[in-house]
Amino acid sequence: MDRELTCVECPMGCAILVTIRDGEIVSIGGNNCARGKLYAQNEVFTPKRVVTSTVKLEGGGMLPVKTDRPVDKDKIFEVMAVINSLIVAAPVKVGEVVASDVCGANIISAKEVL
Amino acid sequence: MKNYDIIIIGGGPAGLAAAISAYDNGSRDILILEREPVLGGILNQCIHNGFGLTRFKESLTGPEYAYRFVEEVRSRGIEYMCDTTVLEVSTDKQVTAINSTKGVFSLSAKAIILAMGCRERSRGALNIAGARPAGIYSAGTAQKYVNILGQMPGKRVVILGSGDIGLIMARRMTLEGAKVLAVCEIMPHSSGLKRNIVQCLDDYGIPLYLSHTIVKIEGKDRVSGVYIAQVDEKRRPIEGTEKYFECDTVLFSVGLIPENELSKGAGVSLSPATKGPIVYDDRETSVSGIFACGNVLHVHDLVDFVSEEAEIAGVSASNYAMGKGADRRVVSTTCGNNVSYVLPQMLDTNASGMVKLYFRVNKVLPNPTIRLTSNGEDIVVKKKKIAVPGEMESIVLTPAKLQSISGDVVVSVEE
Ligand code: SF4
């Protein structure tokens, strides 16, 4: 069984062909870089995605956030449930952890609010 | 009237990068004028990631990408004014603007950089049958509602057009609990990036209907449903192919168009192909001392390329303001087979550095040969795996190649 994938790691969107024999990857081709290889390896067995969203700021407004690493694709809505339960108080820096260890990742701020 | 060396209209990614490069080229007397309350432009509402891979070798969200440039602007002490709308730019480089503290005021500059970005096309929304109930938004407006204001525009959504913002919003609204029923694209191919089809639609099981359009919107006060139908090669709906979706929201994502009201007022010549100013390779427009960069010039796929282009404009404007004029030997660039536009439209073959020509193809071309010729002579020939209209292509010309150009150049792409 072979898998044809589109790498989502960057806008190039390389078409990657993964050759699988007896449940194991025997070759990966078409990727332009190492990022794409890692993506293809994950995508075949445990697809992962970075989740980006917003959380409420105390006193109004929204703070953009993201997971600091990709989480299992089937955990995305679990991550969203945590994100939507958060309220963050300013000041907050870019990269500051606003919730730790959510499905194996930290939720970090993507914006500075003074 | 206060005079500046350089006034930059727009504090989005193009304006910020232009300001930084002008400063680093030696200019100090720079002012950025921004309509919104904060710098960063549209990046502030683009909370998804994928920005900056070319430039920073990491995947940033829009606000993070903007932050890096805003910090650079702040650390250099470059002056900026937010909440300020520019009303007019004149050919002799006077700028009329308005804000709530100063009222209407005028400034003048030695050089001006136009960096107003683009706006969403609304064309697709106009010729659909039915009333105009609430619940119809452009994808970018919906993005602002969700990401900046924290409000969901609706619960059951149909999206017309497969532009990237529409695809991104399909995922965004799904994550926030809405049901996205369909994305309809009138063309037989998507206009968005393949990766966005995968990670925004396929990941969430959202169907993409190619060669389909919305033929009727139902609802009195609020949208209650839409009919979509398949279209033929001439984009006419085919009878009997209608499908009904019960929904409360329709989003339009039918493309972007450079925002050039101010440029027109300044007497800058626009290109019918890009809808942006006609420029030299240093991004000077047809009006001496007025430069343009970013999406006001042509709609870019990647913000990384916007920054790159803005740096060219920043340096050129800075040189102009310092009286360092270029002695140009100009040829024009034109579209050959299968090419919809080439930018810059005017090329200085005396340029001392590398010049990058950007262009787009007008249809999907597998295994294309890209050819740049001048007076029938090949200057650059290169092969690719595929060329698609949604992805900008480029050719780099070295000073030696530039010197070998004997007349107007033609860029063509053949299968
Ligand atoms: S393989 Fe590398 S270059 Fe290709 S899409 Fe993935 S990250 Fe981008």
Side-chain angles (χ1 to χ4, degrees), chain B residues 7-11 31-35 81 84 86 95 97 107:
Chain B
I7 293 180
I8 300 170
I9 322 254
L31 173 69
I32 305 172
L33 297 172
E34 167 58 41
R35 185 169 56 181
M81 247 182 246
T84 302
V86 173
V95 175
L107 304 166

Side-chain angles (χ1 to χ4, degrees), chain B residues 17 25 35-36 65 78 92 100 105 117 119 166 172 181 200 221 250-251 256 267 287 343 366 387 392 398 403:
Chain B
N25 192 59
R35 185 169 56 181
E36 295 291 319
Y65 189 92
I78 296 171
D92 58 357
S100 57
F105 60 100
R119 60 183 156 81
R172 185 73 188 113
L181 303 155
C200 298
D221 301 325
V250 176
L251 301 188
L256 301 167
V287 177
L343 191 135
M392 201 158 69
T398 59
Q403 284 295 340

Side-chain angles (χ1 to χ4, degrees), chain A residues 6-16 30-37 39, chain B residues 53 195:
Chain A
T6 299
C7 179
V8 302
E9 292 293 310
C10 93
M12 294 268 296
C14 295
I16 302 182
N31 53 307
N32 245 334
C33 72
R35 252 179 128 79
K37 189 171 175 191
Y39 170 80
Chain B
L53 276 155
R195 72 191 286 259

Side-chain angles (χ1 to χ4, degrees), chain A residues 45-111:
Chain A
F45 299 115
T46 45
K48 289 175 189 290
R49 299 286 184 266
V50 167
V51 180
T52 66
S53 187
T54 51
V55 301
K56 286 200 185 76
L57 276 168
E58 220 175 81
M62 305 303 286
L63 176 75
V65 295
K66 67 175 186 181
T67 57
D68 64 351
R69 70 202 68 182
V71 298
D72 288 356
K73 205 165 106 177
D74 54 16
K75 297 264 169 61
I76 290 175
F77 283 94
E78 239 174 89
V79 173
M80 280 304 296
V82 174
I83 286 175
N84 283 338
S85 71
L86 295 172
I87 297 176
V88 173
V92 52
K93 290 197 180 73
V94 174
E96 192 174 317
V97 175
V98 297
S100 51
D101 199 16
V102 181
C103 301
N106 297 317
I107 314 288
I108 60 172
S109 164
K111 191 183 157 189

